[in-house]
Coordinates of all heavy atoms in Angstrom, one line a residue:
M24 N 125.5 -23.7 -6.8 CA 126.9 -23.6 -7.2 C 127.3 -24.8 -8.1 O 127.0 -26.0 -7.9 CB 127.8 -23.6 -6.0 CG 129.2 -23.4 -6.3 SD 130.3 -23.2 -4.9 CE 130.2 -24.8 -4.1
S25 N 127.7 -24.4 -9.3 CA 128.0 -25.6 -10.2 C 129.4 -26.1 -9.9 O 130.2 -25.5 -9.2 CB 128.0 -25.1 -11.6 OG 129.1 -24.4 -12.0
A26 N 129.6 -27.3 -10.4 CA 130.9 -28.0 -10.3 C 132.0 -27.0 -10.9 O 133.1 -27.0 -10.3 CB 130.9 -29.3 -10.8
R27 N 131.7 -26.5 -12.0 CA 132.9 -25.7 -12.6 C 133.3 -24.5 -11.9 O 134.3 -24.1 -11.9 CB 132.3 -25.2 -14.1 CG 132.3 -26.3 -15.1 CD 131.9 -25.8 -16.5 NE 131.6 -27.0 -17.4 CZ 132.6 -27.7 -17.9 NH1 133.8 -27.5 -17.7 NH2 132.2 -28.7 -18.7
D28 N 132.3 -23.9 -11.1 CA 132.6 -22.8 -10.3 C 133.6 -23.2 -9.2 O 134.4 -22.4 -8.6 CB 131.4 -22.1 -9.8 CG 130.6 -21.5 -10.9 OD1 131.3 -21.0 -11.9 OD2 129.4 -21.2 -10.7
F29 N 133.3 -24.5 -8.7 CA 134.0 -24.9 -7.5 C 135.4 -25.3 -7.8 O 136.3 -25.2 -7.0 CB 133.1 -26.0 -6.8 CG 133.7 -26.6 -5.6 CD1 133.7 -25.9 -4.5 CD2 134.2 -27.9 -5.6 CE1 134.3 -26.5 -3.3 CE2 134.7 -28.5 -4.5 CZ 134.8 -27.8 -3.3
F30 N 135.5 -26.0 -8.9 CA 136.8 -26.6 -9.2 C 137.8 -25.7 -9.7 O 137.5 -24.7 -10.3 CB 136.5 -27.6 -10.4 CG 135.9 -28.9 -10.0 CD1 135.1 -29.7 -10.8 CD2 136.1 -29.5 -8.7 CE1 134.6 -30.8 -10.5 CE2 135.5 -30.6 -8.3 CZ 134.8 -31.3 -9.2
H31 N 139.0 -26.1 -9.5 CA 140.2 -25.7 -10.3 C 141.1 -26.8 -10.5 O 141.0 -27.9 -9.9 CB 140.8 -24.4 -9.8 CG 141.4 -24.6 -8.4 ND1 142.7 -25.1 -8.2 CD2 141.0 -24.5 -7.2 CE1 143.0 -25.2 -7.0 NE2 141.9 -24.8 -6.2
S32 N 142.1 -26.7 -11.4 CA 143.0 -27.7 -11.7 C 142.3 -29.0 -12.0 O 142.6 -30.1 -11.6 CB 143.9 -28.0 -10.5 OG 144.6 -26.9 -10.1
L33 N 141.4 -28.8 -13.0 CA 140.7 -30.0 -13.5 C 141.5 -30.9 -14.3 O 142.4 -30.6 -15.1 CB 139.5 -29.6 -14.4 CG 138.2 -29.1 -13.8 CD1 137.3 -28.5 -14.8 CD2 137.6 -30.3 -13.1
S34 N 141.3 -32.3 -14.0 CA 141.9 -33.2 -15.0 C 140.8 -34.3 -15.1 O 139.9 -34.3 -14.4 CB 143.2 -33.8 -14.3 OG 142.9 -34.4 -13.1
S35 N 141.1 -35.2 -16.0 CA 140.0 -36.2 -16.4 C 140.7 -37.5 -16.5 O 141.7 -37.7 -16.9 CB 139.4 -35.8 -17.7 OG 138.7 -34.6 -17.6
I36 N 139.9 -38.5 -15.9 CA 140.2 -39.9 -16.1 C 139.1 -40.5 -16.7 O 138.1 -40.7 -15.9 CB 140.7 -40.6 -14.8 CG1 141.9 -39.9 -14.3 CG2 140.9 -42.0 -15.1 CD1 142.3 -40.3 -12.9
G37 N 139.0 -40.8 -18.0 CA 137.8 -41.4 -18.6 C 136.7 -40.3 -18.5 O 137.0 -39.1 -18.7
P38 N 135.5 -40.7 -18.2 CA 134.5 -39.8 -17.9 C 134.5 -38.9 -16.7 O 133.7 -38.1 -16.4 CB 133.3 -40.6 -18.0 CG 133.6 -41.9 -17.4 CD 135.1 -42.1 -17.8
V39 N 135.5 -39.3 -15.8 CA 135.5 -38.7 -14.5 C 136.4 -37.5 -14.4 O 137.6 -37.7 -14.9 CB 135.9 -39.8 -13.4 CG1 136.0 -39.1 -12.0 CG2 134.9 -40.9 -13.5
Q40 N 136.0 -36.4 -13.9 CA 136.8 -35.2 -13.8 C 137.2 -35.1 -12.3 O 136.4 -35.4 -11.5 CB 136.1 -34.0 -14.2 CG 135.9 -33.9 -15.7 CD 135.4 -32.5 -16.1 OE1 134.8 -31.8 -15.3 NE2 135.8 -32.1 -17.3
I41 N 138.5 -34.6 -12.1 CA 139.0 -34.5 -10.8 C 139.3 -33.0 -10.7 O 140.1 -32.4 -11.5 CB 140.2 -35.3 -10.5 CG1 139.7 -36.8 -10.6 CG2 140.9 -35.1 -9.1 CD1 140.9 -37.8 -10.4
G42 N 138.9 -32.5 -9.6 CA 139.2 -31.0 -9.3 C 139.4 -30.9 -7.8 O 139.1 -31.7 -7.0
T43 N 140.0 -29.7 -7.5 CA 140.2 -29.3 -6.2 C 139.5 -28.1 -5.7 O 139.3 -27.3 -6.5 CB 141.8 -29.2 -5.8 OG1 142.3 -28.2 -6.6 CG2 142.5 -30.4 -6.0
G44 N 139.0 -28.1 -4.6 CA 138.3 -26.9 -4.1 C 138.5 -26.9 -2.5 O 139.3 -27.5 -2.0
R45 N 137.6 -26.1 -1.9 CA 137.6 -26.0 -0.5 C 136.3 -26.2 0.1 O 135.2 -25.7 -0.5 CB 138.3 -24.7 0.0 CG 139.8 -24.5 -0.4 CD 140.2 -23.3 0.2 NE 141.8 -23.2 -0.3 CZ 142.7 -23.7 0.5 NH1 142.4 -24.4 1.6 NH2 143.9 -23.6 0.1
D46 N 136.2 -26.8 1.2 CA 134.9 -27.0 1.8 C 134.5 -25.8 2.6 O 135.3 -24.8 2.7 CB 134.9 -28.4 2.7 CG 135.8 -28.3 3.8 OD1 136.3 -27.2 4.2 OD2 136.1 -29.3 4.4
R47 N 133.5 -25.8 3.4 CA 133.0 -24.7 4.1 C 133.9 -24.3 5.2 O 133.9 -23.1 5.7 CB 131.6 -25.0 4.7 CG 130.6 -25.2 3.6 CD 129.3 -25.7 4.3 NE 128.4 -26.1 3.2 CZ 127.3 -25.3 2.8 NH1 127.2 -24.2 3.4 NH2 126.6 -25.7 1.9
Q48 N 134.8 -25.1 5.7 CA 135.8 -24.8 6.6 C 137.2 -24.3 6.1 O 138.1 -24.1 6.8 CB 136.0 -26.0 7.5 CG 134.9 -26.2 8.6 CD 133.7 -26.9 8.0 OE1 133.8 -27.7 7.1 NE2 132.5 -26.4 8.3
G49 N 137.1 -24.2 4.7 CA 138.3 -23.9 4.1 C 139.5 -24.9 3.9 O 140.5 -24.6 3.5
R50 N 139.1 -26.1 4.1 CA 140.0 -27.2 3.9 C 140.0 -27.6 2.5 O 139.0 -27.7 1.9 CB 139.6 -28.4 4.9 CG 139.7 -28.0 6.4 CD 139.2 -29.2 7.2 NE 137.7 -29.4 6.9 CZ 136.9 -30.1 7.7 NH1 137.4 -30.7 8.7 NH2 135.7 -30.3 7.3
P51 N 141.1 -27.9 2.0 CA 141.1 -28.4 0.6 C 140.6 -29.8 0.4 O 140.8 -30.6 1.3 CB 142.7 -28.4 0.3 CG 143.4 -28.5 1.6 CD 142.6 -27.8 2.5
R52 N 139.8 -29.9 -0.6 CA 139.1 -31.2 -0.8 C 139.4 -31.6 -2.4 O 139.5 -30.7 -3.2 CB 137.6 -31.1 -0.7 CG 137.2 -30.7 0.7 CD 137.7 -31.8 1.7 NE 136.8 -33.0 1.6 CZ 137.2 -34.2 2.2 NH1 138.3 -34.2 3.0 NH2 136.5 -35.2 2.1
H53 N 139.5 -32.8 -2.6 CA 139.7 -33.3 -3.9 C 138.5 -34.1 -4.4 O 138.0 -34.9 -3.7 CB 141.0 -34.3 -3.9 CG 142.2 -33.6 -3.5 ND1 143.1 -33.1 -4.4 CD2 142.6 -33.3 -2.2 CE1 144.0 -32.5 -3.7 NE2 143.8 -32.6 -2.4
V54 N 137.9 -33.6 -5.4 CA 136.5 -34.0 -5.8 C 136.6 -34.7 -7.1 O 137.2 -34.3 -8.1 CB 135.6 -32.8 -5.9 CG1 134.1 -33.3 -6.1 CG2 135.6 -32.1 -4.6
A55 N 136.0 -35.9 -7.1 CA 135.9 -36.7 -8.4 C 134.4 -36.6 -8.9 O 133.5 -37.0 -8.1 CB 136.4 -38.1 -8.2
V56 N 134.1 -36.3 -10.1 CA 132.8 -36.1 -10.6 C 132.7 -36.8 -11.9 O 133.5 -36.6 -12.8 CB 132.4 -34.7 -10.7 CG1 130.9 -34.7 -11.4 CG2 132.4 -33.9 -9.4
C57 N 131.7 -37.8 -12.0 CA 131.5 -38.4 -13.3 C 130.7 -37.5 -14.2 O 129.6 -37.0 -13.8 CB 130.8 -39.8 -13.2 SG 130.6 -40.6 -14.7
T58 N 131.2 -37.2 -15.4 CA 130.5 -36.3 -16.3 C 129.6 -37.1 -17.3 O 129.0 -36.5 -18.0 CB 131.5 -35.5 -17.1 OG1 132.3 -36.4 -17.9 CG2 132.4 -34.7 -16.3
A59 N 129.6 -38.4 -17.2 CA 128.6 -39.1 -18.1 C 127.2 -38.7 -17.8 O 126.8 -38.7 -16.7 CB 128.8 -40.6 -17.9
E60 N 126.5 -38.4 -18.9 CA 125.1 -38.0 -18.7 C 124.3 -39.1 -18.2 O 124.3 -40.3 -18.6 CB 124.5 -37.7 -20.0 CG 123.3 -36.8 -19.9 CD 122.9 -36.2 -21.3 OE1 123.8 -36.1 -22.2 OE2 121.7 -36.0 -21.4
G61 N 123.6 -38.8 -17.0 CA 122.7 -39.8 -16.3 C 123.4 -40.5 -15.3 O 122.8 -41.3 -14.6
C62 N 124.8 -40.4 -15.1 CA 125.4 -41.1 -14.1 C 125.2 -40.4 -12.8 O 124.6 -40.9 -11.8 CB 126.9 -41.3 -14.4 SG 127.8 -42.1 -13.1
G63 N 125.8 -39.1 -12.6 CA 125.6 -38.4 -11.4 C 126.5 -38.7 -10.3 O 126.4 -38.2 -9.2
W64 N 127.4 -39.6 -10.4 CA 128.4 -40.1 -9.4 C 129.3 -39.0 -9.0 O 129.9 -38.3 -10.0 CB 129.0 -41.3 -9.8 CG 130.1 -41.8 -8.7 CD1 129.9 -42.5 -7.6 CD2 131.5 -41.5 -8.7 NE1 131.1 -42.7 -6.9 CE2 132.0 -42.1 -7.6 CE3 132.3 -40.8 -9.7 CZ2 133.4 -42.0 -7.3 CZ3 133.7 -40.7 -9.4 CH2 134.3 -41.3 -8.2
S65 N 129.5 -38.6 -7.8 CA 130.6 -37.8 -7.3 C 130.9 -38.2 -6.0 O 130.1 -38.6 -5.2 CB 130.2 -36.3 -7.5 OG 129.2 -36.0 -6.5
S66 N 132.2 -37.8 -5.6 CA 132.6 -38.0 -4.2 C 133.8 -37.1 -4.0 O 134.5 -36.8 -4.9 CB 132.9 -39.5 -4.0 OG 133.0 -39.7 -2.6
D67 N 134.0 -36.8 -2.7 CA 135.2 -36.0 -2.5 C 136.1 -36.7 -1.5 O 135.7 -37.5 -0.6 CB 134.8 -34.6 -2.0 CG 134.1 -34.6 -0.6 OD1 133.0 -35.1 -0.6 OD2 134.7 -34.2 0.4
Y68 N 137.4 -36.3 -1.5 CA 138.4 -37.1 -0.8 C 139.4 -36.1 -0.2 O 139.6 -35.0 -0.7 CB 139.2 -38.0 -1.8 CG 138.2 -39.0 -2.5 CD1 137.6 -38.6 -3.6 CD2 137.9 -40.2 -1.8 CE1 136.7 -39.5 -4.2 CE2 136.9 -41.1 -2.4 CZ 136.4 -40.7 -3.6 OH 135.5 -41.6 -4.2
A69 N 140.2 -36.6 0.8 CA 141.0 -35.8 1.5 C 142.3 -35.7 0.7 O 143.2 -34.8 1.0 CB 141.3 -36.2 2.9
S70 N 142.6 -36.6 -0.2 CA 143.9 -36.5 -1.0 C 143.6 -36.7 -2.4 O 142.6 -37.4 -2.8 CB 144.9 -37.6 -0.5 OG 144.4 -38.9 -0.9
R71 N 144.4 -36.2 -3.2 CA 144.3 -36.3 -4.7 C 144.5 -37.7 -5.1 O 143.9 -38.3 -6.0 CB 145.2 -35.5 -5.4 CG 145.1 -35.5 -6.9 CD 145.9 -34.4 -7.6 NE 145.6 -34.4 -9.1 CZ 144.7 -33.6 -9.6 NH1 144.1 -32.6 -8.8 NH2 144.4 -33.7 -10.9
A72 N 145.4 -38.4 -4.4 CA 145.6 -39.8 -4.8 C 144.4 -40.7 -4.5 O 144.0 -41.5 -5.3 CB 146.7 -40.4 -3.9
A73 N 143.7 -40.4 -3.5 CA 142.4 -41.1 -3.3 C 141.4 -40.8 -4.3 O 140.6 -41.6 -4.8 CB 141.9 -40.8 -1.8
A74 N 141.3 -39.5 -4.7 CA 140.4 -39.1 -5.7 C 140.6 -39.7 -7.0 O 139.8 -40.3 -7.9 CB 140.3 -37.6 -5.8
T75 N 141.9 -39.8 -7.4 CA 142.3 -40.4 -8.6 C 142.1 -41.8 -8.7 O 141.7 -42.5 -9.6 CB 143.9 -40.2 -8.8 OG1 144.2 -38.8 -8.8 CG2 144.4 -40.8 -10.1
L76 N 142.3 -42.5 -7.6 CA 142.0 -43.9 -7.4 C 140.5 -44.2 -7.6 O 140.1 -45.1 -8.3 CB 142.6 -44.5 -6.1 CG 142.3 -46.0 -5.8 CD1 143.0 -46.9 -6.9 CD2 142.6 -46.4 -4.4
A77 N 139.7 -43.5 -7.0 CA 138.3 -43.6 -7.1 C 137.8 -43.4 -8.6 O 137.0 -44.0 -9.0 CB 137.6 -42.6 -6.1
A78 N 138.5 -42.4 -9.2 CA 138.2 -42.1 -10.6 C 138.5 -43.3 -11.5 O 137.7 -43.7 -12.4 CB 138.8 -40.8 -11.1
R79 N 139.6 -43.9 -11.2 CA 140.1 -45.0 -12.0 C 139.2 -46.3 -11.8 O 139.0 -47.0 -12.7 CB 141.6 -45.4 -11.7 CG 142.5 -44.4 -12.3 CD 143.9 -45.0 -12.2 NE 144.8 -44.0 -12.7 CZ 146.0 -43.7 -12.1 NH1 146.2 -44.2 -11.0 NH2 146.8 -42.8 -12.6
T80 N 138.7 -46.4 -10.6 CA 137.9 -47.6 -10.2 C 136.4 -47.4 -10.4 O 135.7 -48.3 -10.1 CB 138.2 -48.1 -8.9 OG1 138.0 -46.9 -7.9 CG2 139.7 -48.4 -8.7
H81 N 136.0 -46.1 -10.7 CA 134.6 -45.9 -10.9 C 134.1 -46.8 -12.0 O 134.5 -46.7 -13.1 CB 134.4 -44.4 -11.2 CG 133.0 -44.1 -11.6 ND1 131.8 -44.4 -10.8 CD2 132.5 -43.6 -12.8 CE1 130.8 -44.0 -11.6 NE2 131.1 -43.5 -12.6
R82 N 133.0 -47.5 -11.7 CA 132.4 -48.3 -12.7 C 131.2 -47.6 -13.2 O 130.0 -47.7 -12.6 CB 132.0 -49.7 -12.2 CG 133.2 -50.5 -11.8 CD 132.8 -51.8 -11.4 NE 134.0 -52.7 -11.3 CZ 133.9 -54.0 -10.9 NH1 132.7 -54.5 -10.7 NH2 135.0 -54.8 -10.6
C83 N 131.3 -47.0 -14.3 CA 130.2 -46.1 -14.8 C 129.2 -46.9 -15.5 O 129.5 -47.8 -16.3 CB 130.7 -45.0 -15.8 SG 129.5 -43.8 -16.1
R84 N 127.9 -46.7 -15.0 CA 126.8 -47.5 -15.7 C 126.5 -47.0 -17.0 O 125.7 -47.7 -17.7 CB 125.6 -47.6 -14.7 CG 125.1 -46.3 -14.4 CD 124.1 -46.4 -13.3 NE 123.7 -45.1 -12.7 CZ 122.5 -44.6 -13.2 NH1 121.7 -45.1 -14.1 NH2 122.2 -43.4 -12.7
I85 N 127.1 -45.9 -17.4 CA 126.8 -45.3 -18.7 C 127.8 -45.5 -19.8 O 127.6 -46.1 -20.8 CB 126.5 -43.7 -18.5 CG1 125.5 -43.4 -17.5 CG2 126.1 -43.2 -19.8 CD1 124.0 -44.0 -17.7
A86 N 129.1 -45.1 -19.4 CA 130.1 -45.2 -20.3 C 130.8 -46.5 -20.3 O 130.8 -47.3 -19.3 CB 131.2 -44.2 -20.0
Ligands
LIG117 ZN1 129.9 -42.7 -14.1

């Protein structure tokens, strides 16, 4: 399953995209994914604020 299939309401902060989806239990999750080629960083959070903060503070080793 690709990130694009999982996400909706995508937004971007620098190279990091934030989307929302649901986990296997149907709970909403906020996912931050770095799109920089070769980085591969991603993480998910219980709140959009947390995901946004993580995106802002992500120190990309590529970009
Ligand atoms: Zn990165």
Side-chain angles (χ1 to χ4, degrees):
M24 182 170 68
S25 76
R27 284 186 194 281
D28 292 333
F29 179 70
F30 281 152
H31 63 89
S32 301
L33 276 174
S34 60
S35 298
I36 298 173
V39 180
Q40 290 191 332
I41 297 175
T43 57
R45 291 185 182 275
D46 67 14
R47 291 167 190 266
Q48 283 76 44
R50 296 172 299 197
R52 300 296 291 172
H53 300 263
V54 185
V56 178
C57 183
T58 60
E60 197 169 334
C62 178
W64 176 83
S65 70
S66 194
D67 64 291
Y68 303 90
S70 74
R71 184 171 186 97
T75 302
L76 180 63
R79 285 197 181 129
T80 57
H81 170 58
R82 291 189 179 179
C83 192
R84 61 193 171 94
I85 307 297

